[in-house]
Each structure stands twice: as structure tokens, then as C-alpha cells.
């Protein structure tokens, strides 16, 4: 049966729903309030998770799809489960690894999504709670002078969800070989002449830059620009992965391979390595004209990790707005509407003040010349 594919995380004391409490850094029962360490819940559910993960997923899902009379496309992209707590049917996509039953609220995990190479190496647990995300979003509004007043006053957040986003972290060495035409220009006076001398140099720089844990999100659902913008994460907080960190949050396994994501990480390393080695020559010459810029990336190790992200969304004037907040540091980013009237009024005001200042300066200069 489809429910055999899920583990529902419930309190060992009263069977109430469990969630990972970011403030306590422990699992907490929604019903009786009992706190449990990650190790305690992990030990409690180890045997059950092993049994669930051993179920023939393909066979079970094939039977579920036939019962639901799914199309071939739906069979490819969707999965059907029954909640182990209330028996309600859950429809998810193929990457869903942790969710909650919309009917009884019990957090559920799909252990088969963490078998073998699908299991993350590490995880940074959530440090900030939902209220922190709401507070930071309001602060984000206040820092935007051209935000429409109606948006901040009337806006109601439609959805807030804590998501463990899959990331690849890359360890690599960048081998750098640079060659430039460097120039220095000097001027001096010889008699009645102002002499300018330009000297040209062959400038070479070679070096190696080591990189540790350069991130690239491994989920096609997450906008790359938002995930890049909420960095950095503090990797000192990485913990060995355990499914016991997941209850109460959403999680998807990766659907972008480490090989596909490597280009994004390599580009960041190339740019950083180039700037790091090139700056050893900058300041010594007035101009540097590149003749050769060769950066060779030598991959070392790739880490598969889950990182905490709060996703917030809202709609205003028929447009959807999405925000992302680092669930560890609180850094928040997102797009906001612009009050065009306020923007142009400010522009005209500044331009007008600039013209008045220029007129006064011109009047002073002309008066002084007279």
C-alpha cells in the first residue's frame, strides 16, 4: 500500500505531531510539548525508516497510478501516498522528501528519497522561526523608499514555508596563468616642453587558489538568483544528516546533478581566482591589457547538503512576489513593486535642486569675472 512508503513523525509519549523547533534545536510535540533530541528521535525511528525504505517503491507507485487512472505524464511527475496517521491521500511530485499531511497536520518523510547516493552528507538545521521571517520581511519593506505605501500597509503574506533546499558544495583548486601588457606613464618638463614617457612591461602572474564549499543549489524549483543572494551560510553549523531534522519543514531531494551544477560553481571560482591573482599586479601599473587569462579548475570533492530557507510569497495588483530568507542568518532578498509617481517626483526634485546649485555657481563665477 502507498502508506508503506511514508514515515509519520509522532510523539513517542502521546502520538501528537512532532516538529523540529529551531529555537530549542530539538523536536517538540505539538500536543504535549515534550522535547526530544535529534538523536533520541533518530534512534526511535531507525527501524521503522529502514522497513519503509525497503518497500518496492516502483511497484507500489505503479499500482497507485493505475488505481488513480493517471496519464503517462502524471505517472512520470507525480507520486501518491497515504498518510500513515489518518489515511488521507497525499499527491506530491517525484522529488518530495518531506512534507506534512494537509488533513491531520502530521509531518511525513519519504525514507526512500534518502537511500544510497540520495542521502545528504550534512545539514544545517533551521536557526530562525517563521516569526523571524515575517519580521525581517517587514524590515525589508521599510528600507525601500520607492515601495508603494499601499503594498506595505495592505499586503498580506499568502504563504510562508520552511524548506530544506538541496545544495552541492564544491571543493576545488583553481590553477591560474595570467599575462598582461602593463604600462606606466610619467610626465616631466624639459625646458619649454612637457615630456610624457610611457613604459611597457610584460607582466606575468601564476598561482593556485583553493576553494572550499562553493555552493550551488540543486533544485530546479528554486530561483538560482534568490538562492545565490541569501548566501553566505556558516558551514561551521553543518551537522551529520538525519531525517529527524526534517519534521515540520518541506524538503526535496536534488533534481539537478552535481555535474550539471558544476558549471555555475566553476564560473564563480574562475572569477574569484582571476581577481585574486590579478590584484597582485594592480596598483603597480597604470593599465593592464590582457594577453592571456587561463584558469584551470581541478575538482576535488563535492558535498551534498540540505540548507535552511524560508520562502515567502504574496500577490499585489495581480502580480506574484517571491522572497527568500536564509534560515540560519536571516538575510532576506526578493523583488518589490516600485511607486513610479514617487520615483519620478524624487528624480525631478533632485534634478531641480542640481540645476539651482549649478545656476548659483554660474552666477557666482560670472559675477566674480565681472
Amino acid at each position: 500500500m502507498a502508506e508503506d512508503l511514508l514515515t509519520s513523525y509522532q510523539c513517542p509519549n502521546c502520538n501528537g505531531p512532532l516538529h523540529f523547533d529551531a529555537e530549542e534545536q530539538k523536536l517538540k510535540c505539538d500536543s504535549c510539548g515534550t522535547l526530544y533530541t535529534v538523536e533520541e528521535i533518530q534512534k526511535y525511528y531507525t527501524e521503522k525508516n529502514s522497513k519503509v525504505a525497503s518497500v518496492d517503491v516502483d511497484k507500489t507507485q505503479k499500482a497507485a497510478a493505475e488505481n488513480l487512472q493517471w496519464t503517462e505524464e502524471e505517472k512520470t511527475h507525480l507520486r501518491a501516498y497515504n498518510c500513515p496517521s489518518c489515511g488521507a491521500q497525499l499527491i506530491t511530485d517525484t522529488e518530495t522528501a518531506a512534507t506534512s499531511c494537509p488533513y491531520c497536520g502530521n509531518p511525513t518523510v519519504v525514507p526512500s528519497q534518502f537511500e544510497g547516493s540520495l542521502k545528504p552528507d550534512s545539514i544545517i538545521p533551521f536557526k530562525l522561526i517563521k516569526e523571524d521571517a515575517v519580521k525581517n520581511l517587514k524590515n525589508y519593506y521599510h528600507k525601500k523608499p520607492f515601495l508603494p505605501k499601499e503594498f506595505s500597509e495592505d499586503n498580506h503574506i499568502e504563504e510562508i514555508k520552511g524548506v530544506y533546499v538541496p545544495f552541492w558544495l564544491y571543493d576545488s583548486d583553481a590553477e591560474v596563468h595570467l599575462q598582461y601588457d602593463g604600462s606606466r606613464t610619467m610626465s616631466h618638463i624639459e625646458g619649454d616642453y612637457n615630456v610624457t614617457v610611457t613604459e611597457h612591461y610584460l607582466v606575468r602572474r601564476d598561482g593556485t587558489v583553493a576553494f572550499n564549499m562553493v555552493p550551488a543549489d540543486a533544485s530546479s524549483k528554486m530561483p538560482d538568483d534568490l538562492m545565490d543572494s541569501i548566501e553566505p551560510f556558516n558551514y561551521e553549523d553543518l551537522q551529520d544528516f538525519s531525517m529527524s531534522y526534517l519534521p515540520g519543514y518541506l524538503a526535496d531531494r536534488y533534481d539537478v546533478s552535481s555535474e550539471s551544477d558544476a558549471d555555475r560553481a566553476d564560473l564563480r571560482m574562475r572569477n574569484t581566482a582571476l581577481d585574486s591573482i590579478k590584484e597582485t599586479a594592480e596598483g603597480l601599473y597604470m593599465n593592464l591589457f590582457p594577453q592571456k587569462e587561463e584558469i584551470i579548475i581541478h575538482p576535488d570533492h563535492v558535498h551534498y547538503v540540505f540548507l535552511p530557507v524560508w520562502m515567502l510569497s504574496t500577490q499585489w495588483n495581480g502580480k506574484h512576489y517571491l522572497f527568500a530568507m536564509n534560515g540560519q542568518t536571516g538575510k532576506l532578498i526578493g523583488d518589490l513593486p516600485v511607486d513610479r509617481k514617487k520615483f519620478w517626483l524624487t528624480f525631478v526634485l533632485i534634478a531641480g535642486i542640481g540645476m539651482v546649485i549649478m545656476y548659483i555657481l554660474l552666477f557666482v563665477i560670472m559675477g566674480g569675472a565681472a
Side-chain angles (χ1 to χ4, degrees):
M1 295 178 65
E3 65 263 27
D4 292 333
L5 299 177
L6 297 179
T7 296
S8 180
Y9 277 77
Q10 296 172 297
C11 174
N13 183 45
C14 71
N15 288 330
L18 285 175
H19 74 276
F20 180 78
D21 190 303
E23 292 181 314
E24 297 286 351
Q25 290 295 291
K26 292 182 179 182
L27 287 106
K28 185 176 183 179
C29 175
D30 293 345
S31 299
C32 68
T34 304
L35 294 172
Y36 302 92
T37 65
V38 169
E39 292 74 21
E40 288 173 332
I41 296 302
Q42 181 177 345
K43 182 178 179 181
Y44 185 81
Y45 277 95
T46 294
E47 183 177 354
K48 184 173 184 179
N49 284 333
S50 298
K51 289 181 179 179
V52 173
S54 66
V55 175
D56 190 329
V57 177
D58 293 334
K59 182 178 179 180
T60 305
Q61 287 297 330
K62 182 178 180 181
E66 291 175 351
N67 290 335
L68 293 169
Q69 298 181 337
W70 278 351
T71 65
E72 288 303 317
E73 183 177 357
E74 289 172 332
K75 292 178 183 178
T76 302
H77 299 288
L78 299 178
R79 293 290 182 267
Y81 305 102
N82 288 336
C83 174
S85 300
C86 69
Q89 192 168 74
L90 282 68
I91 306 297
T92 72
D93 58 33
T94 53
E95 287 79 38
T96 297
T99 185
S100 294
C101 176
Y103 302 97
C104 68
N106 272 293
T108 56
V109 174
V110 188
S112 61
Q113 297 282 40
F114 303 107
E115 284 294 291
S117 61
L118 296 177
K119 180 181 179 181
D121 303 312
S122 308
I123 186 172
I124 293 181
F126 272 86
K127 302 291 183 181
L128 301 174
I129 61 176
K130 182 184 294 186
E131 288 72 18
D132 294 320
V134 174
K135 179 181 178 181
N136 283 9
L137 181 59
K138 290 180 178 179
N139 290 336
Y140 188 68
Y141 289 169
H142 292 318
K143 297 177 183 178
K144 303 298 183 290
F146 299 119
L147 181 69
K149 184 178 179 181
E150 297 82 3
F151 180 86
S152 57
E153 290 183 349
D154 302 335
N155 177 42
H156 298 285
I157 301 170
E158 293 188 349
E159 187 177 21
I160 306 175
K161 54 186 179 181
V163 184
Y164 279 110
V165 179
F167 272 78
W168 299 111
L169 304 181
Y170 297 84
D171 297 341
S172 301
D173 290 330
E175 180 184 343
V176 184
H177 303 284
L178 307 179
Q179 185 170 304
Y180 297 94
D181 173 18
S183 65
R184 294 173 181 164
T185 301
M186 296 165 286
S187 298
H188 62 276
I189 296 176
E190 292 183 4
D192 295 332
Y193 298 95
N194 187 2
V195 179
T196 299
V197 179
T198 300
E199 299 175 340
H200 291 269
Y201 301 85
L202 178 62
V203 182
R204 290 176 177 171
R205 290 293 187 272
D206 298 284
T208 299
V209 181
F211 292 92
N212 292 312
M213 297 187 175
V214 176
D217 68 279
S219 173
S220 61
K221 300 175 187 176
M222 292 295 170
D224 292 342
D225 55 343
L226 289 185
M227 295 302 100
D228 291 345
S229 298
I230 61 173
E231 296 174 19
F233 288 87
N234 180 6
Y235 298 125
E236 292 182 0
D237 286 339
L238 280 170
Q239 305 292 325
D240 291 338
F241 177 77
S242 169
M243 284 184 275
S244 298
Y245 287 108
L246 305 182
Y249 300 97
L250 303 179
D252 285 348
R253 66 171 174 81
Y254 71 86
D255 64 350
V256 179
S257 68
S258 60
E259 293 78 13
S260 299
D261 252 356
D263 289 341
R264 286 180 57 208
D266 285 357
L267 179 60
R268 297 177 67 173
M269 288 186 273
R270 289 177 186 277
N271 291 336
T272 301
L274 174 62
D275 292 341
S276 297
I277 301 301
K278 184 179 179 180
E279 70 179 9
T280 64
E282 292 176 337
L284 301 177
Y285 307 93
M286 293 185 66
N287 296 293
L288 288 172
F289 301 99
Q291 295 180 347
K292 173 185 175 183
E293 292 180 337
E294 182 182 23
I295 301 97
I296 304 170
I297 302 296
H298 298 286
D300 183 14
H301 185 72
V302 182
H303 312 264
Y304 176 35
V305 304
F306 272 10
L307 302 181
V309 179
W310 282 105
M311 301 298 297
L312 306 91
S313 62
T314 188
Q315 289 193 16
W316 187 72
N317 279 359
K319 186 176 180 181
H320 183 74
Y321 295 91
L322 183 66
F323 307 89
M325 189 187 87
N326 187 313
Q328 179 196 37
T329 67
K331 184 179 180 181
L332 186 143
I333 195 71
D335 292 326
L336 290 171
V338 174
D339 187 330
R340 298 293 179 183
K341 183 177 180 181
K342 187 186 295 185
F343 172 82
W344 287 112
L345 182 62
T346 303
F347 176 81
V348 171
L349 180 62
I350 294 175
I353 294 174
M355 291 180 65
V356 170
I357 293 174
M358 289 180 62
Y359 178 80
I360 294 173
L361 290 175
L362 183 61
F363 179 79
V364 171
I365 293 172
M366 295 295 291

